[in-house]
Amino acid sequence: MIDRLETMLNKYNELTEKLTSMEVLNDYNLLKDISKEKSDLEETVTIYKEYKNILKSIQETKIMLEDPELKDIANEEIISLEEQEKELKNKLEFLLIPKDENDGKDVIMEIRGAAGGDEANIFAGDLFRMYSYYAEKNHWKIEIIHSVEGTSGGFAQIEYIVKGKDVYSKLKYESGSHRVQRVPETENQGRVHTSTATVLVMPKYDNVSININENDLKIDVYHSSGAGGQSVNTSNSAVRITHLPTGVVVTCQDERSQLKNKEKALELLKIKINSALEEEKNNKEQSERKSKIGSGDRSEKIRTYNYPQNRVTDHRINFTIMELDRVMNGYLDPIIEALINEDMRLKLEGLK
C-alpha cells in the first residue's frame, strides 16, 4: 500500500510542478487535463501526507517513554495517535480500491411495468417520480427519450437519460426488479396486492465506436404520442429501430424531426449494444469474485416497497428503512449510501 501511495505522491508533485510551466499554462486543453489528473489524486495524497505525519509523531512520542516523568503523558498521546493512524489507514484503503471507470458517466434508465397489470404500470410511474425527485435533489437533469403510458396511469415503459455529476456512481445499483405491496386504488375489499416494475440502468457512453450494418436494422416510423396517447404532430416523426442480430430495440420520439429521432435512436442503439457487451465482459470477470452487489439483471428482485408498514427493504444487503413515504419523495441517500458502503467493503475484501 505504501509503495502505491508514494507513487501517487510523486505523481502529484510532478503534476503540481507542470502546472507552473509556461508550456502548460499556454495550452488550455493540456492545462485542463493536468488539472483534472491532479484533482483526482488530491484527496488520497492529502490523507496520505496526514498519515505520514501521524506515523512520524508516533515515533517521536515513543522516545518520550524513556523519560519517567513523561512516560504517562506519552502513553496517552501514543494511544490517541494510533487511533488516528488506524482511521487514516482505513480511509486510504478505501481510496485505493479500483474505481469504476463509468462512475462519472450519465445514464440511460428504463422503467417498465411488469407483473400486476395496471397497478404495475402505476408503480412504474411512482418509481419514475421517485428517481426524478432524487435527480432534482442532486441537480441532475432528466431527458425523456420514449414513453408508453399505462391505461390507468403510470407507464408501461419509460426510457430517459439522466445527466449530471457522478450519476452512474449512485444509480448503478438500481437495476433489477422492484416490488410493491399495497392496496391498489381499484381494490374494493382493502386487500394488499403485490406488483413489480423493472429498472434498467446503463452508463451512457460517448462516441461509441461500434460498426452497425444497415442491413441488420429494422426501422419503423409512426406518430409521436404525448399524454393520454394524443398525437404530438401529424407527421411520422417517432422512430423505432430493431437490431436484428441482438434483438436490441430503441425508440425515440422526443424530437419533432424524424431525421433527428433516427440519429438519436442510432446513437442509443450503439450505447445499448455496447452496454450489453460490457455487462457480458464484466459478468465473466466477476463470476468468481464476491465483490459485486447483485447481478444487475432486470429479473433479480432487489427491493420491496411495503406501503402498509411504510417500509423499504433492499434484499441484497438486508437493509431496511421505515420511511417509505420519504423514499418515494426522493429520499434515496440512506439506501444508496448503504449500497455503496457494502460494495466498497466487498471490493476491499477482494483485494486482501
Side-chain angles (χ1 to χ4, degrees):
M1 182 180 84
I2 297 299
D3 288 343
R4 289 178 64 191
L5 289 166
E6 280 296 323
T7 300
M8 294 173 77
L9 176 59
N10 292 334
K11 182 66 176 177
Y12 180 84
N13 291 335
E14 178 187 324
L15 293 169
T16 302
E17 190 174 338
K18 279 185 178 180
L19 285 172
T20 63
S21 71
M22 293 306 298
E23 178 188 358
V24 173
L25 291 172
N26 291 328
D27 186 331
Y28 174 76
N29 289 329
L30 186 59
L31 177 64
K32 183 180 175 182
D33 290 343
I34 292 177
S35 297
K36 184 182 184 308
E37 192 175 355
K38 180 190 172 189
S39 176
D40 290 342
L41 295 171
E42 190 117 37
E43 182 180 7
T44 305
V45 167
T46 300
I47 293 176
Y48 178 50
K49 286 179 178 178
E50 190 176 346
Y51 178 72
K52 289 179 74 173
N53 288 333
I54 291 291
L55 291 178
K56 184 179 178 182
S57 296
I58 290 173
Q59 294 304 315
E60 290 174 348
T61 307
K62 283 182 177 179
I63 296 173
M64 296 168 57
L65 293 172
E66 299 173 6
D67 187 332
E69 294 184 2
L70 299 175
K71 186 176 180 180
D72 291 342
I73 297 174
N75 271 322
E76 289 181 11
E77 182 67 16
I78 288 170
I79 291 171
S80 174
L81 289 169
E82 286 180 341
E83 286 178 357
Q84 294 177 58
E85 178 203 356
K86 184 178 179 180
E87 183 180 340
L88 290 172
K89 186 179 179 181
N90 288 337
K91 285 183 180 179
L92 289 169
E93 286 178 338
F94 277 119
L95 288 169
L96 288 175
I97 293 172
K99 290 181 172 59
D100 188 332
E101 61 183 16
N102 294 322
D103 277 352
K105 286 183 167 58
D106 297 336
V107 305
I108 297 173
M109 289 189 73
E110 181 182 295
I111 305 174
R112 291 175 180 263
D118 287 342
E119 173 64 11
N121 294 340
I122 293 170
F123 179 50
D126 293 339
L127 289 177
F128 173 65
R129 277 192 299 277
M130 178 185 77
Y131 290 124
S132 298
Y133 288 139
Y134 184 63
E136 186 179 339
K137 291 176 188 293
N138 284 280
H139 307 291
W140 298 337
K141 291 184 178 179
I142 284 179
E143 178 184 321
I144 296 175
I145 304 167
H146 171 65
S147 64
V148 179
E149 296 186 359
T151 54
S152 298
F155 297 98
Q157 176 187 352
I158 183 165
E159 193 169 6
Y160 56 98
I161 298 172
V162 187
K163 300 178 178 180
K165 183 179 179 183
D166 299 328
V167 178
Y168 186 72
S169 69
K170 294 185 177 181
L171 292 179
K172 63 184 175 182
Y173 306 103
E174 296 304 297
S175 287
S177 177
H178 295 240
R179 182 175 68 174
V180 63
Q181 295 174 328
R182 64 184 175 189
V183 179
E185 293 181 8
T186 55
E187 170 59 50
N188 297 323
Q189 299 180 23
R191 292 176 299 183
V192 173
H193 286 225
T194 297
S195 305
T196 60
T198 60
V199 176
L200 180 63
V201 179
M202 296 172 290
K204 185 180 180 298
Y205 297 96
D206 296 319
N207 304 317
V208 177
S209 57
I210 291 179
N211 293 320
I212 294 179
N213 190 330
E214 287 279 344
N215 295 325
D216 290 336
L217 301 178
K218 179 176 181 289
I219 301 177
D220 300 302
V221 294
Y222 55 95
H223 290 324
S224 296
S225 295
Q230 298 298 314
S231 177
V232 172
N233 54 53
T234 57
S235 64
N236 291 333
S237 61
V239 176
R240 180 190 299 112
I241 302 179
T242 304
H243 186 243
L244 299 175
T246 61
V248 173
V249 180
V250 294
T251 304
C252 188
Q253 64 178 37
D254 64 317
E255 302 287 350
R256 290 190 171 271
S257 158
Q258 182 187 130
L259 179 61
K260 288 184 178 179
N261 277 327
K262 182 180 177 182
E263 289 175 354
K264 183 172 284 189
L266 282 170
E267 178 191 357
L268 293 171
L269 182 69
K270 290 181 179 180
I271 291 170
K272 280 196 171 185
I273 293 173
N274 188 68
S275 293
L277 293 173
E278 287 289 326
E279 185 178 352
E280 184 181 350
K281 175 185 171 185
N282 290 337
N283 286 341
K284 286 180 180 178
E285 290 177 353
Q286 304 223 22
S287 61
E288 296 181 0
R289 299 183 196 172
K290 293 186 297 180
S291 56
K292 189 176 183 183
I293 292 181
S295 65
D297 190 282
R298 200 200 298 259
S299 64
E300 180 191 15
K301 184 183 74 177
I302 65 167
R303 195 174 298 153
T304 294
Y305 304 74
N306 186 299
Y307 275 71
Q309 297 179 21
N310 199 36
R311 183 184 73 222
V312 181
T313 299
D314 195 291
H315 305 289
R316 295 164 295 178
I317 56 174
N318 295 319
F319 178 87
T320 295
I321 181 171
M322 307 300 290
E323 296 181 272
L324 179 144
D325 51 341
R326 295 186 66 197
V327 169
M328 299 310 292
N329 283 317
Y331 183 62
L332 279 168
D333 283 327
I335 301 173
I336 288 175
E337 285 173 10
L339 286 162
I340 290 173
N341 289 337
E342 179 64 8
D343 191 26
M344 292 177 72
R345 185 188 70 79
L346 291 172
K347 285 177 178 175
L348 191 58
E349 281 186 359
L351 293 176
K352 289 180 179 178

